[in-house]
Amino acid sequence: MLENVVLTRRHYVPWRLRVRNFTGGIASGLVIAFAILVAAGVSPGAIVNEFIVQVFLNSRGLAQTVTTATPLIMVGLGAAAALKLRFWNIGVGGQVWLGALGSTWIAINDIGPPEMRLPLMLAVSVVAGSAWIAIPVFFKLRYGVNEIIMTLLLEYIAFRLVQHLVFGPWQDPNTSFPVSEHLDSIERLGRLGWGNAHSGIWIALGAGVLMWLLMERSRFGYYAEAIGLNPVTAKGTGLPVTLTIVLAVLLSGGLAGLAGGTIVAGAEYRLTQFLGQGYTFSAIVIAFIARFRPIPIVITAFVIAGIFTAGETLKVFYSLSEAIVILIESVILFSVLVSEFFSSFRIRVLKTAPAK
Amino acid sequence: MAKALELLGLSKAFDGNRVLHLASLEIEWGEVHALLGENGAGKSTIMNIANGVYAADAGEIRVDGRKVDISGPSDATSLGLGMVHQHFKLVKRFSVAENILLSCRRQLSITSVGEAALAVAAKGAEVGFPVKPDAVVGELSIAEQQRVEILKVLLLGAKIVILDEPTAVLTEEESGSVLSFVRNLALHGHAVVLITHKLREVIGYSDRVTVMRYGKTVLKGATANEQTAESLAMHMVGEHMPEIKPLKRQPGEERLVVERLSVSCLNGGVGVNQVNLSVRSGEILGIAGVGGNGQQELMDCLTGLRACSEGIIRLNGRNVTFASVAIRRNGGLRAIPSDRFGSGLVGNMPVFENLGMTRTTSGHYGRGIFFSRARMRQEAEKALAEYGILGATPITPTRLLSGGNAQKLLLARELEEGASILVAHSPTRGLDVRACNAVHTTIRDAVERGAACLLISEDLEEILGLSTRVAVMSHGRIVGEFSVGEATREVIGKLMLGHA
């Protein structure tokens, strides 16, 4: 069986093929998801309505997708900045938490002049995210400590730290819920007047453009590329290996922190118990699907945000269980990842089977 | 008597690239038949077809006069064909007997390690090639692992034994031993195919020789001792290679001085021990030695990738013992590492980005945040032409280059302006005659223009052919130094093995 099917690795992968396979992957994922939903008792017409019309063609759905995409773009860019240099930051969520924590700290303590409050909040979220990842980068470069374990565990620590604050010193005295006080209006990112979408999307898109310039046009990006692909060669040719790694990794933490800051200032208006959860997984998936390249990251983040939006509506309106929603999201992501295989390999069927 | 193996009119294309075109090879029983050709001539492909790894697009295979179809390595085994690959197919953490049990249990109908141990010991004694059955393969030397691989093939019942460049990884002494063993096999009636590109092995150890070039057979079954090195090289390359001219330049000022240099080694290697060296402008100092005697550590310490524990390194008079890689490069030190794709080039970057790598750090393409890829590409275009890197464009992914082209690319980058001392480690390893010649000419020309070169190589031919002085390295020390006239193969060979 399959004896005359031959796999050959492609030497060049044309971008048209990559786009075709990416869309093909999403399409086949949607087909499988469709089957699962029909089996779960949702009528086919309703599925088409939810997935296509509500998410991408309906203004409200699109607004929700843009809102969800805002932090996803930033964490995707952040994850890619470190992963590209083979610094396995799998604690992106931890840096998101620290960013959220930093901006909340500025806001609830009313630090700085009111007109500078919002920029200061965002700046502190960047610094807080960078500081959180500075710990593993220091230990890795100085003592060779494994960054995978450190970034992962620091995410748990960050999560517990936030729980401590929202249940303790930062808990809103006006409620018994584990949330901080509401932000003042000057501390909020402006709404676009379109669903919940806020001006954080401009920050995210701006970060995308800056990262594109930095990673694909600048000397820094060129060094990063060389170091990621072959660190031994990079060292031997005298590239500033350590400096480049440190800067890229701090940038990674900073972008994740900024995502946390914009969630607080743009979407939630306060620090909540779960606002930073799930970002590590999404960030890494987005970075890998987009092959660490900034523009594809922005596009992928929108697609994934769309899938999330559809999942939410299905959950609410068809009372599907959380498990089904996660299942269909996973099926779609899995299909996209598998489609990569067809970009990397050419499959040929030999006309004659090898001689027996 | 029927011929042992006949490969008649074989053709094969991969992805539209023709690698074999009506190639033929005929092997008699009881002979050592050398299969000679440059890299990419189709030697390995034709033998892989015989061994059932690939299927030929056209042509026919006869074993002992009978036309056969070989659709996989197991078919080849049952027909009495066995191949010893360059990369051994052994489980390193298993003992010799366990490896034999793993591969031969069906053919020998054995079920225990004990039986396997008896079988391999008996076979070893029978053919005069003993191995210890309970030794762990990973702890054996390369030569001993090769013995295990050969015995495995014999235990599987091979009467036609194909050896793919068996001496490529061995020292002179070990090569002699395996080649006489191979002669002995032929004497006992086996047919042996010796794939090689070393001319001395053809003339010294083979009965007949077939030469391949660009997928065709250009010399078929000629009597080996009627051939000369020149005639064989001519058939292999299809043209006469220009001789490397001796250096005309007289040695000038000291470029590289190393005093009492010691490098400790973490991984149980020998490191470098109290080495003194001096290389002048216009000189090529060859460092001969068996691999693993401190050459890599010396190289890494000179280029700045590894710290020394003692000693001084001076570059054009300047102490660079503790200087970074970048500072040494700016001071004129350039390096050709032995593993060109592992530590010299970035395979997944295009050619022009590899060429421009060092010049980007120096600010040649722009000192600010951004740099000019367009200019990098233009300069790459020129360098490709100047160094004769054919068949590649600036945007070709570097991993697609042949070994020869990759090495020329590396030389082009390393010899850019300001190169005053070149440290080259095995610069022609794995290259064909033509590429070898080009690399040697390039190095020689750079030295003629006033550079100095430290040439570290395990290939004695290369050392003797190119150097103006020769030093021998053994157990991390320099154990002898000669001017090129007074160095003989024998003396150097003995020093390399620590026998003097």
Side-chain angles (χ1 to χ4, degrees):
Chain A
M1 198 191 140
L2 294 179
E3 261 163 355
N4 45 359
V5 177
V6 178
L7 287 182
T8 355
R9 185 174 273 280
R10 286 178 205 274
H11 284 160
Y12 295 95
V13 186
W15 66 270
R16 273 201 204 90
L17 180 79
R18 200 160 266 163
V19 169
R20 207 180 69 202
N21 282 339
F22 184 73
T23 39
I26 291 179
S28 46
L30 287 174
V31 169
I32 302 170
F34 187 86
I36 293 172
L37 289 171
V38 171
V42 184
S43 78
I47 299 170
V48 172
N49 185 38
E50 289 314 324
F51 254 113
I52 312 292
V53 181
Q54 297 301 329
V55 176
F56 292 106
L57 300 178
N58 166 311
S59 166
R60 196 158 2 121
L62 208 53
Q64 182 53 41
T65 301
V66 168
T67 315
T68 313
T70 303
L72 287 179
I73 292 170
M74 288 184 271
V75 292
L77 292 168
L83 296 178
K84 190 176 171 130
L85 284 126
R86 302 194 199 179
F87 185 96
W88 304 109
N89 177 11
I90 59 161
V92 178
Q95 297 126 34
V96 173
W97 278 122
L98 259 287
L101 193 153
S103 56
T104 311
W105 177 65
I106 297 291
I108 61 179
N109 291 304
D110 293 338
I111 296 169
E115 63 275 17
M116 288 304 293
R117 184 74 47 75
L118 190 57
L120 185 63
M121 281 167 63
L122 296 177
V124 168
S125 67
V126 171
V127 172
S130 296
W132 202 240
I133 206 171
I135 303 167
V137 82
F138 169 78
F139 279 97
K140 160 131 179 165
L141 294 175
R142 185 75 184 79
Y143 301 108
V145 178
N146 185 324
E147 79 277 16
I148 300 179
I149 306 291
M150 278 205 85
T151 51
L152 175 75
L153 293 182
L154 279 170
E155 176 167 356
Y156 292 116
I157 296 175
F159 175 70
R160 293 294 159 197
L161 186 61
V162 170
Q163 302 311 301
H164 165 71
L165 292 172
V166 294
F167 278 103
W170 286 7
Q171 189 171 28
D172 185 354
N174 305 320
T175 126
S176 55
F177 293 112
V179 290
S180 74
E181 276 176 54
H182 268 288
L183 266 50
D184 303 333
S185 61
I186 51 150
E187 293 159 352
R188 299 179 183 186
L189 284 166
R191 285 271 155 99
L192 301 183
W194 183 37
N196 286 330
H198 54 84
S199 56
I201 188 65
W202 305 126
I203 299 177
L205 292 176
V209 173
L210 283 178
M211 286 303 281
W212 174 74
L213 280 172
L214 188 65
M215 298 314 268
E216 305 204 352
R217 285 291 172 270
S218 79
R219 285 211 276 174
F220 175 83
Y222 172 64
Y223 296 162
E225 175 113 19
I227 293 164
L229 291 170
N230 190 340
V232 184
T233 295
K235 217 171 269 177
T237 43
L239 299 188
V241 175
T242 309
L243 182 67
T244 307
I245 292 179
V246 169
L247 289 179
V249 173
L250 291 182
L251 193 58
S252 166
L255 282 164
L258 184 61
T262 47
I263 297 169
V264 169
E268 301 282 344
Y269 300 149
R270 60 189 176 184
L271 187 59
T272 69
Q273 198 184 355
F274 296 117
L275 67 73
Q277 276 203 326
Y279 282 107
T280 300
F281 174 75
S282 313
I284 290 172
V285 169
I286 291 168
F288 267 97
I289 289 179
R291 301 195 156 213
F292 313 148
R293 301 190 62 185
I295 304 298
I297 284 174
V298 173
I299 297 165
T300 312
F302 273 110
V303 171
I304 292 204
I307 296 170
F308 286 170
T309 309
E312 285 305 309
T313 30
L314 285 170
K315 201 157 67 180
V316 174
F317 293 105
Y318 296 90
S319 54
L320 290 175
S321 71
E322 177 86 14
I324 293 279
V325 173
I326 293 177
L327 180 65
I328 62 163
E329 286 169 5
S330 310
V331 160
I332 295 169
L333 285 180
F334 188 74
S335 307
V336 171
L337 286 171
V338 168
S339 74
E340 265 296 293
F341 174 83
F342 296 97
S343 296
S344 307
F345 293 93
R346 184 196 308 277
I347 298 174
R348 291 189 306 150
V349 180
L350 300 180
K351 288 193 189 76
T352 50
K356 273 282 165 200
Chain B
M1 190 172 155
K3 292 197 166 86
L5 176 65
E6 292 161 274
L7 305 172
L8 305 169
L10 294 187
S11 295
K12 176 76 184 168
F14 289 113
D15 241 354
N17 292 319
R18 205 163 64 181
V19 289
L20 281 184
H21 183 59
L22 301 173
S24 296
L25 178 65
E26 290 174 15
I27 318 286
E28 311 263 7
W29 290 112
E31 72 166 351
V32 175
H33 195 115
L35 178 57
L36 189 67
E38 297 194 62
N39 290 337
K43 295 173 300 195
S44 294
T45 309
I46 197 171
M47 289 336 290
N48 275 323
I49 289 174
N51 208 32
V53 177
Y54 304 138
D57 298 339
E60 121 178 12
I61 305 175
R62 291 170 182 272
V63 173
D64 207 18
R66 219 155 35 84
K67 184 172 182 299
V68 293
D69 282 326
I70 302 177
S71 68
S74 56
D75 283 8
T77 306
S78 56
L79 287 166
L81 276 154
M83 184 154 173
V84 177
H85 294 269
Q86 260 186 73
H87 301 285
F88 306 141
K89 313 230 178 294
L90 296 169
V91 183
K92 292 209 159 163
R93 297 180 64 166
F94 278 11
S95 72
V96 172
E98 284 167 336
N99 268 290
I100 295 296
L101 180 64
L102 190 65
S103 330
C104 316
R105 61 190 184 287
R106 228 171 308 143
Q107 286 81 0
L108 297 177
S109 32
I110 52 174
T111 51
S112 73
V113 177
E115 287 172 293
L118 285 178
V120 68
K123 196 60 166 182
E126 179 194 328
V127 296
F129 214 41
V131 296
K132 282 175 266 162
D134 50 0
V136 174
V137 167
E139 290 167 8
L140 295 175
S141 72
I142 298 292
E144 288 171 313
Q145 293 185 21
Q146 190 179 52
R147 281 186 181 205
V148 177
E149 195 75 337
I150 294 173
L151 286 175
K152 190 171 93 185
V153 165
L154 293 176
L155 279 169
L156 287 170
K159 295 281 175 251
I160 303 165
V161 180
I162 305 161
L163 296 127
D164 191 2
E165 306 210 11
T167 60
V169 289
L170 303 182
T171 66
E172 295 254 323
E173 209 174 22
E174 291 167 339
S175 301
S177 145
V178 70
L179 289 169
S180 6
F181 169 74
V182 160
R183 278 240 53 89
N184 205 27
L185 268 186
L187 219 57
H188 284 84
H190 286 79
V192 180
V193 184
L194 187 64
I195 305 177
T196 184
H197 59 234
K198 293 189 186 164
L199 304 176
R200 289 198 306 139
E201 291 176 1
V202 178
I203 296 165
Y205 291 92
S206 316
D207 300 301
R208 294 195 305 146
V209 53
T210 292
V211 182
M212 293 185 67
R213 186 170 76 227
Y214 297 134
K216 295 179 186 164
T217 306
V218 291
L219 180 70
K220 191 173 161 191
T223 310
N225 57 21
E226 286 172 5
Q227 298 293 324
T228 61
E230 287 72 37
S231 68
L232 287 174
M234 172 75 197
H235 282 296
M236 248 167 96
V237 186
E239 60 186 274
H240 281 292
M241 281 283 112
E243 286 228 351
I244 306 283
K245 284 175 260 147
L247 283 163
K248 286 197 288 284
R249 197 184 176 94
Q250 288 302 308
E253 68 275 30
E254 279 188 321
R255 293 279 194 212
L256 175 73
V257 179
V258 170
E259 290 166 21
R260 293 180 293 97
L261 188 75
S262 292
V263 183
S264 53
C265 183
L266 297 172
N267 304 328
V270 291
V272 175
N273 198 343
Q274 298 284 327
V275 162
N276 294 299
L277 292 171
S278 151
V279 198
R280 292 168 180 277
S281 135
E283 261 192 336
I284 300 174
L285 174 60
I287 306 266
V290 179
N293 271 286
Q295 294 98 323
Q296 189 62 51
E297 290 88 341
L298 175 65
M299 166 114 191
D300 289 350
C301 186
L302 291 178
T303 52
L305 291 174
R306 194 191 288 246
C308 62
S309 53
E310 198 192 337
I312 295 171
I313 303 168
R314 268 188 246 279
L315 207 68
N316 294 317
R318 184 161 154 227
N319 186 340
V320 294
T321 315
F322 302 105
S324 68
V325 176
I327 289 175
R328 292 177 204 219
R329 293 193 70 95
N330 289 338
L333 181 82
R334 303 298 155 79
I336 305 289
S338 57
D339 178 4
R340 52 191 84 97
F341 279 107
S343 47
L345 298 168
V346 180
N348 279 330
M349 273 185 159
V351 163
F352 78 98
E353 291 192 353
N354 267 293
L355 264 172
M357 198 167 284
T358 51
R359 284 184 166 190
T360 319
T361 41
S362 69
H364 179 78
Y365 299 112
R367 298 198 162 274
I369 292 173
F370 299 102
F371 70 105
S372 166
R373 272 199 170 79
R375 210 168 133 207
M376 204 188 237
R377 244 168 99 162
Q378 284 165 8
E379 295 194 2
E381 199 99 49
K382 266 187 259 159
L384 290 182
E386 189 183 331
Y387 282 83
I389 303 169
L390 305 174
T393 67
I395 55 166
T396 308
T398 307
R399 73 194 136 88
L400 300 184
L401 296 188
S402 67
N405 273 345
Q407 194 67 309
K408 287 184 207 165
L409 179 67
L410 202 48
L411 277 164
R413 184 183 75 201
E414 297 297 304
L415 292 176
E416 72 193 13
E417 79 259 347
S420 63
I421 159 106
L422 180 72
V423 183
H425 190 336
S426 304
T428 57
R429 181 181 282 173
L431 300 190
D432 60 39
V433 181
R434 202 189 309 258
C436 225
N437 202 287
V439 166
H440 285 164
T441 307
T442 307
I443 293 177
R444 203 209 72 102
D445 289 350
V447 173
E448 191 73 81
R449 288 194 304 267
C453 174
L454 187 73
L455 173 70
I456 302 172
S457 179
E458 292 168 46
D459 182 351
L460 213 44
E461 306 283 339
E462 175 168 57
I463 295 267
L464 293 173
L466 202 59
S467 314
T468 53
R469 278 190 300 136
V470 180
V472 183
M473 195 163 186
S474 173
H475 290 98
R477 290 173 181 276
I478 297 294
V479 291
E481 207 177 312
F482 310 89
S483 71
V484 77
E486 59 185 18
T488 65
R489 293 187 72 88
E490 289 69 35
V491 174
I492 294 178
K494 275 188 181 159
L495 279 172
M496 276 164 63
L497 296 171
H499 290 335

